[in-house]
Amino acid sequence: MCLIVLPVAACGTSPAAEHHDAGLRVGAIPDQDPQKLQRMYDVVSDYLEADLGTPVEYVPVRDYAAAVAQFERGDLDLVFFGGLTGVQARARVPGAVVVAQRDVDERFRSVFVANTAAGLPPLGGVADLARLKGHSFTFGSDTSTSGRLMPQFFLDEAGVGLDAFTGEPGYSGSHDATIKLVESGAYQVGALSASVWDKRVAEGGVDTSRVAEVFRTPPYHDYHWLARPDLDRRLGAGFTDRVRAALLACDGGDDREKQVLELFAAGGFTAARAEDYAQIEAVAGRLGLLR
Amino acid sequence: MTLATRPPGELVGCRPTGAVPRRPGPRRRARRWWLLACAAAVVAAALPAFAGGTPVVRVEGLGQLGEFFAAAAHPRLDGPFAALVAGSAATTLAYAVLGTAVSLVIGLVGGVLTSQVWWRVDAPGRRVRDVLAWGAARLAFVVPRGVHEVVWGLGLLVVLGRGPVVAVLAIGIPFGAVTAKVFAELLDEADRAPYEALLAAGAPRPVAVLHGLLPAALGDLLSYAFYRLECAIRSATALGLVGAGGLGTELLDSFRALVYGEMWTLLYALVVLSAVADGWSTAVRARLAGPRGRPDPLVAGSVVLVPALVACSAWWVRLDPSVLWDDRSAHQALVLARQSWPPAAGEGGIAGLVRLCGTTLAMSVLAVAVAFVLGALLALPAAALPQLDRTGAARLRRLPAVLLARSAMLLLRAVPPPVWALLALFAFHPGVVPGAVALGAYTAGVLGRLMAEAVDNLDGRPLRALGALGASRGGVLCYGVLPAAAGRFAAYGLYRWEVTVRETVVVGVVGAGGLGVVLQHQLNSFHFDRAAATVLAVVALTAVVDLVSAAVRRSVR
C-alpha cells in the first residue's frame, strides 16, 4: 500500500490539508462544468495569492449545504455562493460581507425547456406558466437559484403550485441532468440556468428537435462572493476591501486572469451589494428555504 | 455451513442448509404463509405504480440509456485524469480502511456490552438490573444503525467542519453499530465454558471476556471484520457524493456535467478497488473457515498488513483527530443540538411523515424484489460450483460464464444508487418504480455475490448424486442447488431489506423519493428540527423492518 501510495502522493491530490490560521480559505461552486473548476483550482488560488500576498488555499466544495455549514463554522473565509446559498449563509453568519459578483450575475435568467412531444408553444409571459399545469416537471439541484428557487418563484407568481404537476416534481441534481431528462422525455418540462442552456445549445450538445426553450424568466441577481465578518480581524484591517479589489482587477489582462475568467464563465467581476439579493431573500423566506 | 456464507446480522443459530432434515408440520406451514405474505407485500408495493393506467416503461428513453453504456468503451484515460483517478482511489481506500478500523473498535466494545453473555441475561440467576442494562445498551445502538452514512456525514460536517475525520466517523459510527450487533451474536454463540470457569474462579468480567470468550470467537470476528472492509469501500464512495473526497466526489463532479467518458473511468477504478477488496476478504474468510489449528500465512499476513494499511491511510488523508476536542466543534455541536431539538414534523405533520414512510417502504420492498430476482439470476452462473467440477478442465470450461456474471455483479454494486436512479429515469416514468429499480440494481450486485458464495458452499454430495443419476446441469441447478440454497437466499434478501430502507435516502432524482428527498430538502434549508423528525422516522421504519425481517428469517431457517 505504501509503495503504491507514495508516488501518487507526490502528485499532490491528497484531499484534505491541515487546518492553519495563517491564510485565506476560498471555496466555490460554479454554475457550469463544476468538474473543471474543482480540478483546476490552483488557477484561482494562485491568482489571489499573487495579488494579496497572503497564502491562499482553495477548498473544493461540492455540496451547497456543506459549503454554508463550513462558512458558518469558519472553515471557509471567502466563498463563491449561489444566490440562494449566499442568502442562506448570510442568515446564518450575521455580518458576512457581499464582496463582488460576476458581470453575468447582474442579469441572470432561468429558462423553462420542454420536450417537443409535450406540444407546448413558446410562452409569452410569466402568467403563461400556468399552461405548465398537468405536465411532469423537474427542477435542477435542490438549492440552485436558477434551477430551483427562481423557477419556483415565477411558477408561484403564475399560480402554479408544486401539486399542479403530474406526479411529484423531480430534482435532477444539475442543469445538465435537467436538459438530459427533458430531452429523453422522462419529464416533460424542466427549468435551468439560461447561461448553461445557451452554452450547451451553442456547443451542439442538445438535440433541439426533442427539447426546446419555451420561456425565459425576467433577470435577477445570482452568484456572488461572500466574505466572513472576521476576515479583517484575522488577516489585517482592510483585507476584505483588498480581496474585492483583487477580484475587480481581474479583467483578463494576462493569461492567468483569462484562465480565471474562463473557469468562472465570466467577462469580469463587478461590485455587489447585499441589497441586490433582497428579492432572492424574500423568495427564499416565502418558500421556507431560509432558517 | 462455513463462516464465509453467513449473512451479517443473521448469525445466531445458523445450521447447515443441506444437512438438517426439513421439519414437517407447523414450521413448514408458517414458511408457506410467510412466502405468501412476501408476495402480497411486493404486489401491494407495486400496485399503485402499475394500476391507474399510466405507463411505467418508457421505450423512447432507451436510446439515452444506450448512450451511457456505449461510453463504457471510451473511458477518459489521459495522463492527468488517470493521476486524478489514482489519487482519488487511494483516498477512497483510505477512508474505507480507517472507517472500518473505527467501526471495529466500536463494534468490539459495543458487541461485548450488548451481548447476552456479558450481562448474563440468559443465566439462571439473572438480575433485573442486568436485564435492564442489556436492553438499554441494545437500544443505544438502534439510532446509529438506522441513520445512513450520508446523513451522518452531513451532520458531522456541521459539527466538525471539513476534514477526513468526518468521512471516517460517518462510516465508522453506523458500521460500528452494525458490527456491534453481529459481534454480540457471535459472542453469544461462542463456547462460553472457559468464560464461566474464569468467572467462577473470581476473575472480573472484562478479564473473563478477554481471556475466556474472545479467543473462542476470534475467527468469526476476524471473518466479519474483513467482510466489513469491502462494504466500507461502497460507503466511502457514497460519502464522496456529499463531497468527502475520493472516487465518489470525482464521480459526482463528472456526473453533474454528464461527462460519461470520465464517469466510466471512475467506475472502472471503483470496480477494480472493489474487486481487490472482495478478493482479499473472500480469500481470508475462506481460510478462516477452513480447518483451524495451524497458523495460515495469508490470514497472518493480512492481520499484519492491516495496521500498516491503517497507518498509511491516516497519513494519506492527513487524519487530524484534534478537531474532536476542539472548542469550535463543541460550540457547533451545541448549536446543532439546539436547532434540531425538539424534532418537529414538517409540512403535512405526522400524517405526512406516515405517508412518506409508506412510499419509502414500497420503494424498498420493490427494490429488494428486483434485487432478489436479478441477484439470483446472476448468482447461478456466477457460482463456480467447485463441488461439481472437480477437474481443472471442467472448471476452465465454466470460467467465462463465471467471470462474466461476476463482473456484471461488480459493476452493479460499483455504480452508486444516485447514478442508477438517473439511468432508471431514462427507462421508466418518474415515481416509485425507477427508485426501486435503481436501488434494486445496486442491491442485486451485493445480494448476487452473497448468493453465489452460498451456492459455492453447498454440500456437494446431493449435487453429485443428481449428476451421477444423469441429471443435466440445468436439472442439477433446479432440483439440487435451488432447493438447498433457497432458504439462504431468502435470509440474505431479508437482511438487505433493512439496508435498502436506509439506502432510499440517497435517490432523490426519481420524483418519488419518500423520506429521503424530504430529508435532503430539510437539510438544504437548515430545518434541522424537521430533519431530526425525518431521521427518527427512518430509524423507526428500519427498526420495524428489522423486526419483521428477523421474524421471517426465523421461519425460513
Side-chain angles (χ1 to χ4, degrees), chain B residues 22-276:
Chain B
R22 278 195 182 188
R23 272 175 251 170
R27 274 194 91 85
R28 209 164 163 189
R29 261 202 304 280
R31 198 192 309 228
R32 201 165 293 161
W33 279 115
W34 277 119
L35 202 65
L36 267 175
C38 286
V42 174
V43 170
L47 214 55
F50 288 88
T54 46
V56 174
V57 180
R58 292 187 339 99
V59 183
E60 65 275 23
L62 295 179
Q64 247 103 352
L65 206 58
E67 210 178 294
F68 171 77
F69 285 105
H74 313 285
R76 184 178 159 191
L77 292 172
D78 57 286
F81 192 67
L84 177 87
V85 173
S88 310
T91 302
T92 299
L93 180 64
Y95 284 149
V97 167
L98 293 170
T100 309
V102 169
S103 77
L104 290 182
V105 174
I106 297 176
L108 211 53
V109 175
V112 170
L113 290 181
T114 54
S115 67
Q116 300 185 3
V117 49
W118 170 266
W119 298 106
R120 305 171 59 80
V121 287
D122 48 356
R126 64 184 175 186
R127 289 178 301 182
V128 176
R129 206 186 64 193
D130 282 349
V131 176
L132 286 178
W134 172 69
R138 284 180 66 105
L139 210 60
F141 282 89
V142 170
V143 171
R145 218 170 41 225
V147 178
H148 193 269
E149 293 92 271
V150 166
V151 180
W152 271 113
L154 286 172
L156 287 167
L157 191 103
V158 172
V159 173
L160 301 176
R162 77 196 163 84
V165 175
V166 168
V168 171
L169 289 184
I171 298 174
I173 294 173
F175 273 35
V178 176
T179 308
K181 184 179 165 188
V182 175
F183 277 13
E185 289 171 356
L186 287 172
L187 289 174
D188 287 339
E189 233 193 9
D191 173 23
R192 61 180 76 170
Y195 171 71
E196 301 283 357
L198 278 169
L199 279 184
R205 267 200 284 191
V207 175
V209 166
L210 201 63
H211 295 286
L213 203 57
L214 280 183
L218 192 63
D220 293 359
L221 298 181
L222 268 180
S223 169
Y224 185 73
F226 274 95
Y227 173 77
R228 248 14 257 186
L229 178 64
E230 47 168 292
C231 302
I233 295 212
R234 289 191 290 275
S235 279
T237 309
L239 273 177
L241 297 174
V242 294
L247 289 172
T249 299
E250 300 304 332
L251 187 60
L252 175 73
D253 284 349
S254 300
F255 178 50
R256 285 217 174 121
L258 295 186
V259 189
Y260 291 154
E262 292 181 359
M263 283 173 72
W264 275 104
T265 315
L266 292 158
L267 288 176
Y268 286 138
L270 270 174
V271 167
V272 170
L273 204 57
S274 315
V276 171

Side-chain angles (χ1 to χ4, degrees), chain A residues 5-274:
Chain A
V5 161
L6 278 169
V8 183
C11 304
T13 41
S14 185
E18 58 269 49
H19 203 88
H20 52 81
D21 271 347
L24 180 74
R25 294 169 300 244
V26 181
I29 304 182
D31 58 339
Q32 295 181 19
D33 303 316
Q35 89 282 19
K36 281 191 195 150
L37 178 67
Q38 304 297 11
R39 291 166 195 166
M40 288 181 63
Y41 48 74
D42 307 350
V43 177
V44 186
S45 48
D46 284 357
Y47 172 77
L48 286 174
E49 195 164 309
D51 201 292
L52 297 168
T54 310
V56 176
E57 184 197 346
Y58 182 94
V59 181
V61 168
R62 266 69 179 206
D63 185 86
Y64 285 109
V68 175
Q70 291 177 43
F71 185 73
E72 180 183 351
R73 197 180 180 278
D75 285 339
L76 293 173
D77 301 311
L78 178 70
V79 181
F80 185 62
F81 278 115
L84 169 60
T85 35
V87 163
Q88 285 180 329
R90 272 196 291 131
R92 297 186 72 82
V93 185
V97 186
V98 177
V99 174
Q101 60 183 177
R102 301 175 301 180
D103 53 352
V104 289
D105 291 319
E106 294 172 334
R107 296 185 57 77
F108 220 82
R109 288 158 163 252
S110 300
V111 288
F112 285 76
V113 297
N115 190 285
T116 42
L120 276 168
L123 306 178
V126 172
D128 281 356
L129 286 174
R131 297 190 58 166
L132 300 184
K133 283 181 186 172
H135 290 81
S136 60
F137 184 85
T138 183
F139 292 112
S141 168
D142 189 23
T143 45
S144 161
T145 307
S146 56
R148 195 260 168 119
L149 181 79
M150 292 313 284
Q152 192 176 343
F153 167 70
F154 289 115
L155 285 168
D156 230 39
E157 295 275 281
V160 185
L162 296 188
D163 48 2
F165 298 116
T166 305
E168 291 174 45
Y171 291 88
S172 73
S174 76
H175 302 299
D176 286 294
T178 299
I179 298 180
K180 210 68 177 169
L181 287 174
V182 176
E183 185 181 308
S184 76
Y187 289 97
Q188 290 174 306
V189 189
L192 71 147
S193 150
S195 60
V196 173
W197 168 254
D198 291 341
K199 189 174 175 198
R200 294 292 179 260
V201 171
E203 288 168 350
V206 179
D207 182 353
T208 43
S209 71
R210 301 181 60 181
V211 55
E213 176 181 336
V214 290
F215 183 63
R216 195 165 281 238
T217 65
Y220 51 84
H221 287 270
D222 200 346
Y223 288 83
H224 52 285
W225 288 97
L226 204 60
R228 270 187 65 85
D230 60 357
L231 210 52
D232 289 6
R233 186 178 56 74
R234 215 164 56 73
L235 294 169
F239 192 85
T240 312
D241 291 330
R242 286 176 56 209
V243 169
R244 181 181 289 125
L247 286 169
L248 298 187
C250 180
D251 55 8
D254 59 36
D255 272 353
R256 187 151 64 189
E257 294 187 2
K258 277 201 191 87
Q259 270 185 307
V260 170
L261 292 179
E262 196 195 316
L263 275 180
F264 281 88
F269 294 101
T270 62
R273 299 160 309 150

Side-chain angles (χ1 to χ4, degrees), chain B residues 272-318:
Chain B
V272 170
L273 204 57
S274 315
V276 171
D278 278 17
W280 185 23
S281 147
T282 310
V284 170
R285 288 185 296 141
R287 301 291 177 94
L288 281 170
R292 304 260 170 83
R294 59 196 167 75
D296 183 285
L298 178 73
V299 174
S302 300
V303 169
V304 173
L305 186 61
V306 166
L309 207 51
V310 170
C312 282
S313 301
W315 167 80
W316 170 251
V317 299
R318 299 186 212 169

Side-chain angles (χ1 to χ4, degrees), chain B residues 412-431:
Chain B
L412 282 173
R413 61 179 184 266
V415 176
V419 177
W420 279 125
L422 186 84
L423 296 174
L425 266 182
F426 290 143
F428 299 93
H429 284 281

